[in-house]
Amino acid sequence: MHYFEATELAARIVGVDPEAPEFDEDEVEEKIYDKFEVSMESFQKIAEALLKFTPPVQTAITETWVQGYIHDQCFITKQAVAP
């Protein structure tokens, strides 16, 4: 998981719109700490570890199997898995 994907995931969790013009990564980091008492680096590691507990789905275009976090029917992040 890339840092920007972890930041988007964290933003969605704490109710910050990562697509807003005034988006501030520092605000997300503060809110993730206030909510879970973890740094963004720790949040990213936890999110990566939890990916394997998301349900596998087959992608529509490439028909590969992946697991990931989804928002509005689009992947925030995903990783390939064996079918």
Side-chain angles (χ1 to χ4, degrees):
M1 175 184 304
H2 297 285
Y3 180 79
F4 71 90
E5 294 170 331
T7 303
E8 179 181 352
L9 180 61
R12 301 275 184 206
I13 288 172
V14 296
V16 173
D17 182 0
E19 297 171 22
E22 68 278 355
F23 177 71
D24 181 9
E25 287 184 26
D26 292 334
E27 176 188 8
V28 173
E29 191 161 353
E30 288 174 21
K31 287 187 174 195
I32 222 53
Y33 185 84
D34 290 346
K35 186 168 186 138
F36 299 111
E37 297 182 5
V38 296
S39 67
M40 272 304 300
E41 291 78 18
S42 294
F43 174 82
Q44 182 176 353
K45 289 177 184 177
I46 293 165
E48 287 172 348
L50 292 173
L51 264 174
K52 64 184 175 184
F53 296 104
T54 61
V57 295
Q58 192 173 27
T59 60
I61 296 172
T62 63
E63 298 183 354
T64 56
W65 286 90
V66 296
Q67 290 176 293
Y69 299 112
I70 297 173
H71 176 73
D72 283 343
Q73 300 180 13
C74 294
F75 281 101
I76 295 172
T77 187
K78 63 185 175 191
Q79 66 182 14
V81 294

